[in-house]
Amino acid sequence: MTSPGREHFSRLMRSHGHGGVLHMRTGEGSGAAFDTPPREGKSMTNPVPAPTPVEIQITGIRKHVAVCVTETGGEKCGIRSNVWDTPTQLNSWIRAHTDETGHTQYQKHTEEPVNTFSKRAGNTER
C-alpha cells in the first residue's frame, strides 16, 4: 500500500513533472515558475551573471574619524574628531576628549576615497 503523501507526489509528477523534475508555480501567479517545461538539453540552473566591466580604484589615503556618542542630559555629545591619516592619532584624540569630559562612548569611522571606471571591451591595460 502506498502512503497518501507518496500518491499525491506521484500525481503531481505525472501532471507537472518533466524529466524527473517537478515544476510548480511558487506564489500566487507571481511568474516565479514557468508553466511550460524547459526544452530538452537545456540546463535547469540559473545562468551565471557576466562579470561587470566597472572597476573600483582606491584614489587616496584611508582617513580615520571618531564621534563621541556619550549621552549627556538626554542628548548625545556629537563632537567629531578631526580627520586623521592613522588610527594612532585618532586614539590620542579619543583619550584627550575622555580626559576633558569624562565621556566614554565613541564610534570610529574609516573613510576611503575611491573612483569607479568602465573598462573597455578587449582592453587589458589600465
Side-chain angles (χ1 to χ4, degrees):
M1 181 172 171
T2 316
S3 70
R6 178 114 176 118
E7 283 180 30
H8 182 68
F9 180 70
S10 296
R11 250 183 288 129
L12 285 173
M13 281 299 290
R14 281 193 300 274
S15 62
H16 298 293
H18 179 75
V21 177
L22 180 60
H23 299 277
M24 297 181 66
R25 186 164 296 283
T26 58
E28 297 183 36
S30 68
F34 299 105
D35 287 324
T36 56
R39 286 181 256 152
E40 288 297 322
K42 292 286 184 179
S43 172
M44 292 291 295
T45 60
N46 292 332
V48 176
T52 178
V54 176
E55 291 197 13
I56 297 174
Q57 181 180 30
I58 299 170
T59 58
I61 297 171
R62 182 176 289 151
K63 302 292 184 179
H64 303 270
V65 67
V67 178
C68 179
V69 294
T70 304
E71 288 195 23
T72 55
E75 292 185 16
K76 291 183 180 178
C77 172
I79 293 179
R80 184 177 165 108
S81 71
N82 288 331
V83 178
W84 304 100
D85 292 342
T86 67
T88 305
Q89 294 166 311
L90 181 62
N91 291 341
S92 296
W93 178 85
I94 290 171
R95 286 186 191 98
H97 186 69
T98 297
D99 289 344
E100 279 180 29
T101 62
H103 295 175
T104 58
Q105 296 178 327
Y106 299 87
Q107 286 182 345
K108 287 184 172 183
H109 300 276
T110 304
E111 300 169 354
E112 188 171 60
V114 298
N115 286 341
T116 59
F117 62 94
S118 296
K119 220 174 164 183
R120 291 186 186 145
N123 185 3
T124 57
E125 296 180 23
R126 286 193 185 185

